[in-house]
């Protein structure tokens, strides 16, 4: 028996020695990683380190330091929201949407998260040599249709072509501007203990939809992306009160990443009630099968709001009266305890920490 134990110990040690860190799914932090890895684009801790250690020191200015979904600028007496984003989703077309829909809705929603009314977009197409023109036209048509649905104008754009093998068909970058109403000040630093935390509808649909078609997985029902413009929903919320503290669309990294970013920016804590978070059965089943946490799965047509408690019920009612917020739910509150940390009360009576993910459970989802 002693010989067997010794052999087992030696085998374990040999296996540990044979592990190649370069093959790990979860890469090391940026300071220990000399090259870019997929996790740097996932909206989690690696993305935050990349921004904090590379881009912020290079660009350093007070406007950028706010690190909001869109920058709010005072220009010629007007308050403008300005945002830019790139879209590299794979596949280009998926149940419920496409690269073109994401390119419009993602930027429109970033503007709306500052309370702005989106007005104009630019688009830049990066095309790989050899991609079929019919595919490019289909993406462009989707951009145009999504812009009309969102009530914005694509005012300018650009096109570049890269050699075959140096791209992935089509990439799109959009930038947008919108007007911020007077009296609106929405940013993560404004979260306060006592704020109600409200999500606008069921979470996780976009990430699971992308996963199902990319990996050829079947979950018994077709799961469609939730991609949608949210500016009209935000306008309905602001019609109740302009004193909404925080809005965020939980895309890469999901609801968990967004709540962590808000908690850290404001120096407050967030406490969720697990059973109050709306997770569709098909998303819960898919995540259970794949070992994923729905809180970290990407969304493209949802928002999370921090609302003063005296306005919470009225804002929630206004959201539920709007088609984009029919499934809105009060899922928790902002607290003074555990500043910078998000916790969730489980259905079994325990509590678990919802940390900022390292990277993205599924890359290339937007």
């Amino acid at each position: 028996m002693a010989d067997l134990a010794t052999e087992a110990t030696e085998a374990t040690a040999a296996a540990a020695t044979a592990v190649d860190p370069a093959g790990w799914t979860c890469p090391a932090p940026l300071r220990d990683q000399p090259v870019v890895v997929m996790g740097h684009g996932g909206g989690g801790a690696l993305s935050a380190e990349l921004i904090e250690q590379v881009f912020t020191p290079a660009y350093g200015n007070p406007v950028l330091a706010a690190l909001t979904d869109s920058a709010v600028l005072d220009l010629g007496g007007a308050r403008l929201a300005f945002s830019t984003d790139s879209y590299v989703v794979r596949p280009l077309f998926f149940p419920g949407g496409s690269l073109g829909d994401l390119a419009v809705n993602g930027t429109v929603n970033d503007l709306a998260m500052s309370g702005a009314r989106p007005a104009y977009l630019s688009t830049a197409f990066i095309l790989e040599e050899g991609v079929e023109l019919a595919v490019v036209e289909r993406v462009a048509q989707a951009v145009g249709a999504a812009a009309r649905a969102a009530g914005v104008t694509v005012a300018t754009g650009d096109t570049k072509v890269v050699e075959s093998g140096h791209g992935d068909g089509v990439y799109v970058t959009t930038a947008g501007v919108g007007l911020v109403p007077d009296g609106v000040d929405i940013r993560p630093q404004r979260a306060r203990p006592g704020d109600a935390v409200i999500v606008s509808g069921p979470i996780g649909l976009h990430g699971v939809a992308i996963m199902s078609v990319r990996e050829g997985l079947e979950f018994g029902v077709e799961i469609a992306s939730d991609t949608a413009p949210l500016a009209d929903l935000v306008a309905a919320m602001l019609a109740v009160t302009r004193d909404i503290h925080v809005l965020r669309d939980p895309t890469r990294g999901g609801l968990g990443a967004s709540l962590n970013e808000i908690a850290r920016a404001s120096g407050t804590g967030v406490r969720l009630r697990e059973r109050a978070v709306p997770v569709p059965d098909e998303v819960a089943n898919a995540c259970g099968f794949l070992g994923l946490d729905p809180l970290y799965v990407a969304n493209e047509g949802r928002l999370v709001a921090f609302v003063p408690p005296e306005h919470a019920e009225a804002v929630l009612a206004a959201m539920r009266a709007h088609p984009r917020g029919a499934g809105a739910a009060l899922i928790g509150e902002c607290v003074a305890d555990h500043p910078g940390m998000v916790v969730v009360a489980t259905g079994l009576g325990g509590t678990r920490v919802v940390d900022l993910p390292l990277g993205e459970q599924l890359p290339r989802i937007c």
Side-chain angles (χ1 to χ4, degrees), residues 214-278:
R214 183 186 299 177
E215 307 301 336
L217 302 175
E218 295 184 3
F219 301 112
V221 296
E222 182 179 80
I223 301 175
S225 170
D226 59 356
T227 178
L230 298 174
D232 285 348
L233 174 60
V234 171
M237 297 165 66
L238 290 174
V240 175
T241 176
R242 295 196 172 184
D243 189 27
I244 292 174
H245 289 168
V246 187
L247 292 174
R248 183 62 64 93
D249 56 335
T251 54
R252 297 176 303 169
L255 183 62
S258 292
L259 292 175
N260 269 279
E261 291 167 358
I262 294 166
R264 295 181 184 194
S266 61
T268 62
V270 176
R271 183 169 57 230
L272 304 180
R273 293 180 291 279
E274 186 174 55
R275 289 182 174 175
V277 179

Side-chain angles (χ1 to χ4, degrees), residues 100-101 103-105 107-108 118-125 139-159 172-177:
D101 298 281
V104 172
N105 294 337
T107 297
V108 163
Y120 296 100
L121 297 182
S122 71
T123 63
F125 276 61
V139 173
Q141 289 289 340
V143 167
R148 288 187 290 273
V152 296
T153 299
V154 179
T156 187
D158 184 44
T159 305
V172 178
T173 293
T174 52
V177 294

Side-chain angles (χ1 to χ4, degrees), residues 43-46 48 253 256-261 264 296 353-359:
L46 284 176
S258 292
L259 292 175
N260 269 279
E261 291 167 358
R264 295 181 184 194
Y296 297 128
V353 174
V354 179
D355 204 357
L356 186 68
L358 188 63

